[in-house]
């Protein structure tokens, strides 16, 4: 309790000490900050790539749907009944109805200029059936869901792209899982790198710590300035990566018009993503600095 | 002030650094502890400020059984004792003023008190002029004066110096010893460890000789060993 009160009362002094040590140990501080900068920049870039991969793959998944053609002979009530049955299945996100005549419009449009001339005459005696476009909640299970829909009465054909779609989904999952592992691994490496630089910084100052103990400084009195120093190193180290991400991504987004290859493979808009990423980097830098200092200094504070 | 009763210290690898040492040092005394390198002098004083605990026996300092002080309380116990080393051990990134002030800051002394006491103490050790210098800008003797100022600025009851003149030339050594005597005259108990018999012979003070972990002689109990 006594130590806690003293700690809070002395916070401004501890801050001054931390800042002073940072400036006066300039070579050591600089190399620590540099290490933090490099790691955070790496995390920032990979994080940004991961964000985009995530976004692209989920937008591709959004496009994936099951196209359900109904029998040509059924009436509107029967068609509606099929819709109800589909909705009752698991894994259904959305069901969209397209009437016989709407299907014909689609066919005509898909044929371009000649479309109308070729098919408009079928309007009266429409050979096409009505259709449903079904989107699923979990694309992994699209094959099973398609099979269940096939079993429903009055359903003529079901098309979801078959194996090629399943393969695409698998690939996307692999990319995403790989990306996640990569980001996590990099995060862990960053943690170790920052903690290690802090550890080296503290190791070079073990006489300093023994002197503090010599004159009767309590453990918290010794620890706090080191932790604050770690935090400052983390924060200063985060500045450059944050600025770089902020302007760099904005620039890339502008010159590519937000597209990678096609409209579908579009980049995530800067704004919110960058704000989140900057928050993460600042938090990571400061947090690892504080925790790293706390852990590294522990073994010098034993009796 | 200090009482050792049948104290032995055995280090991890079976090295017996102190053997069955008993002695008493009263308040206000000035005592030399001499002995060759490796005889156990540093071990003796480390026991006093609880850098280490005795393997057997009782060590009492300022009325406290040192081995029984809980770890958490050790910093507070140490505020009763000033310690000076051969290698000065100043904080390299702090100025002379800050180095001395540090010992007061950690015990929550008010800021204006700190300024006053640090100035007084630096004047006492003869370094009033160097208040804003960094340690590396000072000579060895001056650095040791700063270390002494830091050790006594909070008016400890006991001042321990482990080979304070070990890195200094003879003339400077004499000055440092004179300073320690001056501090003793103001009432502080002073314990000076040294392997330098020259220093001791020029002063007629109580001298404890440690040899190979045993007390060889103690002038307060008769029996001159030198
Ligand atoms: N931490 C330690 N671990 C093991 N042996 C030690 C340790 N410190 C000192 N010693 C041994 O204890 C003996 C006494 O050492 P010390 O008290 O430092 O002597 P002095 O200060 O008189 O030179 C020596 O033999 C030394 O090697
Ligand atoms: Mg020694």
């Amino acid at each position: 309790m006594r130590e806690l009160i003293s700690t809070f009362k002395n916070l401004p002094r501890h801050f001054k000490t931390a800042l002073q040590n940072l400036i006066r140990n300039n070579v050591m501080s600089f190399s620590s900050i540099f290490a933090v900068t490099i790691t955070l920049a790496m995390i920032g870039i990979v994080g940004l790539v991961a964000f985009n991969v995530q976004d692209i793959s989920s937008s591709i998944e959004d496009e994936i749907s099951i196209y359900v053609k109904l029998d040509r002979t059924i009436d509107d009530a029967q068609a509606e009944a099929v819709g109800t049955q589909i909705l009752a299945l698991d894994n259904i996100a959305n069901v969209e109805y397209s009437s016989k005549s709407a299907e014909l419009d689609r066919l005509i449009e898909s044929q371009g200029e000649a479309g109308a001339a070729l098919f408009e005459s079928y309007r009266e005696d429409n050979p096409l059936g009505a259709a449903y476009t079904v989107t699923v909640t979990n694309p992994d299970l699209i094959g099973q869901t398609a099979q269940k829909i096939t079993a429903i009465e009055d359903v003529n054909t079901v098309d979801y792209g078959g194996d090629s779609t399943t393969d695409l989904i698998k690939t996307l999952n692999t990319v995403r899982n790989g990306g996640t592992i990569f980001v996590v691994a990099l995060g862990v490496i960053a943690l170790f790198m920052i903690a290690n630089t802090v550890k080296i910084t503290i190791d070079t100052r073990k006489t300093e710590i023994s002197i503090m103990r010599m004159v009767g400084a309590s453990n918290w009195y010794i620890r706090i300035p080191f932790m604050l120093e770690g935090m400052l190193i983390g924060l200063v180290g985060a500045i450059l990566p944050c600025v770089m991400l902020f302007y760099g991504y904005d620039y890339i987004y502008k010159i590519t018009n937000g597209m990678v290859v096609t409209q579908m493979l579009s980049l995530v808009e800067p704004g919110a993503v960058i704000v989140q990423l900057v928050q993460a980097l600042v938090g990571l830098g400061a947090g690892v600095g504080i925790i790293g200092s706390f852990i590294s200094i522990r073994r010098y504070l034993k009796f | 002030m200090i009482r050792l009763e049948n104290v032995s210290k055995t280090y991890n690898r079976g090295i017996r650094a102190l053997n069955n040492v008993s002695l008493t040092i009263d308040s206000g005394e000035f005592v030399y502890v001499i002995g060759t390198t490796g005889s156990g002098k540093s071990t003796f004083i480390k026991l006093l400020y609880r850098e280490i605990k005795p393997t057997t026996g009782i060590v009492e300092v300022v009325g406290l059984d040192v081995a029984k002080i809980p770890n958490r309380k050790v910093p507070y116990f140490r505020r009763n004792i000033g310690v000076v080393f051969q290698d000065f051990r100043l904080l390299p990134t702090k100025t002379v003023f800050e180095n001395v002030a540090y010992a007061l800051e950690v015990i929550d002394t008010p800021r204006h008190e700190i300024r006053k006491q640090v100035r007084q103490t630096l004047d006492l050790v003869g370094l009033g002029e160097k208040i804003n210098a960094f340690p590396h800008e000072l000579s060895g003797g001056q650095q040791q004066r700063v270390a002494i100022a830091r050790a006594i600025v909070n008016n400890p009851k006991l001042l321990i110096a482990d080979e304070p003149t070990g890195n200094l030339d003879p003339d400077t050594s004499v000055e440092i010893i004179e300073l320690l005597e001056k501090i003793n005259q103001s009432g502080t108990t002073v314990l000076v460890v040294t392997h330098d018999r020259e220093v001791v012979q020029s002063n007629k003070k109580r001298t404890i000789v440690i040899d190979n972990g045993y007390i060889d002689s103690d002038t307060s109990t008769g029996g001159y060993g030198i």
Side-chain angles (χ1 to χ4, degrees):
Chain A
M1 200 57 204
R2 180 169 160 199
E3 282 191 23
L4 204 68
I5 293 168
S6 158
T7 300
F8 276 102
K9 223 174 53 192
N10 284 311
L11 220 49
R13 177 182 283 161
H14 288 320
F15 241 113
K16 195 180 141 218
T17 310
L19 208 62
Q20 236 171 34
N21 285 337
L22 200 68
I23 294 164
R24 292 184 187 166
N25 292 313
N26 45 46
V27 177
M28 209 56 221
S29 308
F30 180 80
S31 55
S32 307
I33 290 170
F34 188 69
V36 174
T37 300
I38 297 288
T39 4
L40 289 185
M42 256 159 56
I43 292 182
I45 291 167
V46 173
L48 208 47
V49 172
F51 253 122
N52 276 289
V53 169
Q54 166 70 34
D55 187 66
I56 287 169
S57 57
S58 56
S59 71
I60 289 177
E61 280 180 356
D62 285 348
E63 301 283 318
I64 292 169
S65 56
I66 305 172
Y67 183 52
V68 184
K69 267 196 209 166
L70 305 185
D71 284 332
R72 192 163 78 82
T73 53
I74 62 172
D75 58 31
D76 286 355
Q78 282 169 308
E80 204 171 306
V82 174
T84 318
Q85 286 180 66
I86 294 174
L87 264 177
L89 295 172
D90 288 339
N91 195 30
I92 305 297
N94 187 35
V95 176
E96 206 172 303
Y97 181 65
S98 163
S99 69
K100 280 180 171 204
S101 129
E103 285 296 288
L104 188 65
D105 289 343
R106 245 172 60 156
L107 179 68
I108 290 169
E109 211 164 293
S110 72
Q111 296 302 313
E113 303 244 313
L118 275 171
F119 299 113
E120 194 53 60
S121 55
Y122 291 102
R123 181 73 65 186
E124 283 309 303
D125 184 20
N126 193 337
L128 300 174
Y132 281 105
T133 306
V134 179
T135 52
V136 294
T137 43
N138 182 0
D140 289 349
L141 303 173
I142 197 165
Q144 290 171 31
T145 307
Q147 240 166 16
K148 282 186 194 148
I149 295 173
T150 316
I152 295 172
E153 208 178 330
D154 299 328
V155 168
N156 189 327
T157 57
V158 169
D159 184 13
Y160 66 96
D163 286 348
S164 64
T165 302
T166 337
D167 286 350
L168 176 63
I169 290 166
K170 275 194 191 129
T171 312
L172 288 178
N173 278 342
T174 315
V175 169
R176 206 157 29 185
N177 290 342
T180 310
I181 292 170
F182 195 56
V183 171
V184 171
L186 211 65
V188 172
I189 291 172
L191 234 113
F192 273 103
M193 265 183 75
I194 297 175
N196 198 47
T197 41
V198 173
K199 184 175 163 296
I200 293 169
T201 320
I202 289 179
D203 281 352
T204 59
R205 282 154 62 182
K206 56 179 175 233
T207 25
E208 192 173 328
I209 296 168
S210 75
I211 293 163
M212 295 172 177
R213 307 187 79 193
M214 201 58 262
V215 297
S218 72
N219 279 355
W220 277 108
Y221 198 98
I222 299 171
R223 206 159 4 201
I224 298 277
F226 278 102
M227 286 166 69
L228 291 176
E229 198 180 333
M231 186 186 80
L232 288 175
I233 288 174
L235 287 179
V236 176
I239 293 175
L240 210 60
C242 288
V243 169
M244 191 187 77
L245 282 183
F246 188 84
Y247 287 103
Y249 190 64
D250 214 47
Y251 179 71
I252 291 172
Y253 192 81
K254 275 200 186 106
I255 59 167
T256 56
N257 266 327
M259 280 174 268
V260 181
V261 185
T262 66
Q263 196 65 263
M264 197 162 78
L265 299 178
S266 61
L267 291 174
V268 183
E269 265 184 60
V273 180
I274 295 297
V275 171
Q276 274 181 35
L277 212 55
V278 164
Q279 282 171 351
L281 292 187
V282 168
L284 200 66
V288 173
I290 292 174
I291 296 166
S293 305
F294 182 84
I295 293 171
S296 310
I297 204 166
R298 232 174 22 170
R299 64 201 188 96
Y300 294 116
L301 296 180
K302 290 205 184 100
F303 281 97
Chain B
M1 177 61 54
I2 297 173
R3 196 174 68 86
L4 270 71
E5 201 180 302
N6 303 324
V7 172
S8 297
K9 175 67 191 177
T10 310
Y11 284 112
N12 294 335
R13 279 163 283 139
I15 299 163
R16 287 182 73 97
L18 277 187
N19 285 298
N20 210 30
V21 171
S22 297
L23 60 82
T24 308
I25 294 172
D26 291 329
S27 233
E29 276 198 82
F30 189 110
V31 181
Y32 284 113
V33 176
I34 65 168
T36 51
T37 304
S39 56
K41 303 183 299 295
S42 294
T43 302
F44 168 55
I45 62 166
K46 279 178 188 165
L47 286 168
L48 301 180
Y49 62 89
R50 204 195 184 271
E51 180 73 17
I52 54 178
K53 287 186 194 177
T55 313
T56 58
I58 296 171
V59 178
E60 249 181 47
V61 180
V62 296
L64 294 168
D65 183 340
V66 172
K68 291 212 179 106
I69 300 170
N71 288 342
R72 230 163 20 83
K73 297 254 170 82
V74 172
Y76 303 99
F77 163 70
R78 288 196 180 157
R79 295 172 189 182
N80 294 302
I81 307 167
V83 191
V84 175
F85 299 94
Q86 178 173 356
D87 56 0
F88 320 133
R89 303 204 189 165
L90 300 174
L91 295 171
T93 60
K94 290 189 187 290
T95 63
V96 167
F97 180 88
E98 289 164 351
N99 263 285
V100 179
Y102 192 80
L104 291 176
E105 286 173 5
V106 304
I107 57 174
D108 289 332
T109 311
R111 194 183 285 265
H112 61 276
E113 268 303 298
I114 293 180
R115 291 201 71 80
K116 203 177 87 195
Q117 276 176 251
V118 172
R119 280 176 190 284
Q120 269 175 12
T121 312
L122 283 173
D123 284 340
L124 176 77
V125 302
L127 272 182
E129 309 283 285
K130 298 285 185 182
I131 207 156
N132 290 318
F134 283 95
H136 65 89
E137 297 165 343
L138 302 178
S139 73
Q142 288 172 328
Q143 289 187 49
Q144 194 59 296
R145 284 167 189 274
V146 179
I148 292 169
R150 179 182 64 196
I152 62 167
V153 72
N154 62 341
N155 293 311
K157 302 185 181 91
L158 172 65
L159 175 63
I160 302 172
D162 191 355
E163 314 244 10
T165 59
N167 281 354
L168 305 175
D169 62 68
D171 287 348
T172 315
S173 297
V174 171
E175 284 169 29
I176 292 295
I177 294 296
E178 279 169 5
L179 175 59
L180 293 173
E181 283 178 356
K182 189 161 116 191
I183 291 162
N184 174 245
Q185 272 148 29
S186 67
T188 312
T189 311
V190 177
L191 196 66
V192 179
V193 170
T194 180
H195 65 267
D196 183 1
R197 280 166 190 251
E198 300 267 320
V199 169
V200 180
Q201 271 152 0
S202 58
N203 290 273
K204 297 259 182 298
K205 299 281 185 191
R206 178 178 173 189
T207 305
I208 298 169
V209 180
I210 297 186
D211 183 28
N212 209 6
Y214 292 94
I215 294 197
D216 194 50
S217 68
D218 184 342
T219 52
S220 75
T221 58
Y224 282 76
I226 35 175

